[in-house]
Amino acid sequence: MSVEFTPWPAELAERYRKKGYWTDQLLADIVQRHQQKNSAKLALVCGDRKYSYQMLDQQSTKLALHLEQMGLEKGDTALVQLPNVAEFYIVYFALLKLGVVPVNALFSHNRLELSAYAKQVSPRLAIVSSQHKLFATDDFVRTLSEQNPSLQHWVVEGEANFGTSLTALLTSNQDSETVSLNNIPSRLDAGIDASGVAFFQLSGGSTGTPKLIPRTHNDYYYSVRASAEICQLSTGTVYLCALPAPHNFSLSSPGALGVFYAGGTVVLASDPSPMTCFSLIKKHHVTMTSLVPPAVTLWLQAVPESSGMLDSLQVLQVGGARLGESLARRIAPELGCQLQQVFGMAEGLVNYTRFDDSDWHRFHTQGRPISDDDEIRIVDEDGKFVPAGEPGALLTRGPYTIRGYFNSPGYNEQAFDDEGFYRSGDIVSMTSDGYLSVVGRDKDQINRGGEKVAAQEIENQLLALTEVSQAALVAMPDDVMGEKSCAFIVTTTTNTTLKPITIRKHLRACGIAEYKLPDRIEQVAALPMTPVGKIDKKALRQQIAEQINRQQTQSLNTKKDAIS
Ligand code: OOB
């Protein structure tokens, strides 16, 4: 059994192969290719633990063999949730080698997200960490197992009173069959199809339930190889992975996979704060990292106190959310490294500014696509192409952009057009030389400094409160995060007052990830409506932006009065 997905039309698949984008190699090749030449080279640093390419390859093979012995088979699916630890990559490659298709949930995900993923893929295996509060006890393990009868195997990183210990599997003595690890991989991956699904990426989404993105070996490997080339990665690259390891940016743009492909070193950071990252950069001579804009602000604030800590850093990639021009201009002079803007999406398309671009392109655009075969359409509300420089909705298709979300035929009808173009939900403009600038969004999502919140998902939870008759989540401006979320609610009876704390408590009880909780809650008598009877979110965004503006002016005036 293989995991279903919407394939590319045959003629395009043939074109992508002919052009050398699709090579029919499996993603596990990214570590296996170093068996001959670079096997002793340092691949991965996690705290005090260091892994050569050989160790990374062998550890993942060992785990694959253990999982095989437990009864897992090609075509099975797995739910994985690990923090930024070496085991994330060991597990990732182990599952790839075995042909088990994982969903790699973010560590910030909670009960609601994990349940939704499990429901969609019916995993046979879950690999989780007891560092997560959900897995400090076995309560949720039992609930999820009951809800998903397919879920028969639990492997856990860290101390736990359930499942099989991941450390025990990785450190156990091999039995006679598994001693010669180097001979095993060919048996393991026999029968895995490179044009089939390797793993699921997570969609930022705009709907009630988070959608899953099936990525094939062929399409993903191409994006990794091409990204590594664009970013000029080499065996000398030392990449700090400070964003969540499963995110498409830090995994493949070029991310850890790009660095492994090139034979460089990945250093793991638990979070992107200067406190955590600066000493790692100094200690391991990090040359490159990727951040979201709010982290850039923190780095710029911290750098005057940290002389010499960032000397080895050559490239800072920034993406995930819009980077303002003034922040962009400060990066080279203050952090002493080159800025590369990255505009990507887990569905596929990734754009980079190139190292030989002009300052204008570097500061004003989010780059151009990876591939000559990334097809870009920018259209107005009637679907007509807009002239260069004009804003419009971005549609795209290409050799590494999906043709459909997993198991979502209804939603796919609206997310993809008749010709297979993916409607990204971004409003962009394109320069005459093919560079994109992100100017807005037409999807119902809040981009909280790179973390995506689907409005509908939160609104559904708010409407579950009996006191709430209407709910709308919109973006509000924030100096550091770019955007934060504001929930407008209307109660069923006019004399009911719902305290923000009650609402937050309810959302927490639903098991929603913390970053999705509304940053602000406004109870109003009624919501503005559009002429067609939909909630007018544009008006709400404007209303809250003006309110914030007024409050900021007021507090500034109060401060001034206090000083004078
Ligand atoms: C990355 O991937 P996702 O799937 O978390 O989010 C994709 C969305 C885009 O559609 C766009 O709305 C926004 O995030 N975005 C940006 C941006 N990069 C992503 N908006 C403005 N400026 C940028 N530079 O976020 C992602 C995936 C791969 C590489 C980089 C980012």
Side-chain angles (χ1 to χ4, degrees), residues 273-288:
S273 69
M275 265 266 277
T276 305
C277 293
F278 285 13
S279 52
L280 287 171
I281 293 175
K282 188 170 158 64
K283 184 169 177 195
H284 301 289
H285 309 287
V286 167
T287 61
M288 175 175 175

Side-chain angles (χ1 to χ4, degrees), residues 247 249 253 319-322 342-346 366 426 438 443 452:
H247 193 268
F249 191 7
S253 310
R322 193 175 157 71
V342 188
F343 162 40
M345 51 204 74
Q366 279 67 56
D426 293 311
V438 185
K443 54 187 163 191
K452 316 296 171 352

Side-chain angles (χ1 to χ4, degrees), residues 17 61 64 77-78 91 181 193 209 243 245 301 305 308 343 379 381 425 429 489 502 518 530 540-541 544 559:
R17 281 203 174 82
T61 298
T77 55
V91 165
L181 287 165
D193 181 1
T209 33
L243 297 176
Q301 278 164 4
E305 318 281 304
F343 162 40
V379 301
E381 278 165 13
S429 65
I489 56 156
T502 316
T530 65
L540 287 174
R541 279 194 292 271
I544 191 66
K559 268 189 204 148

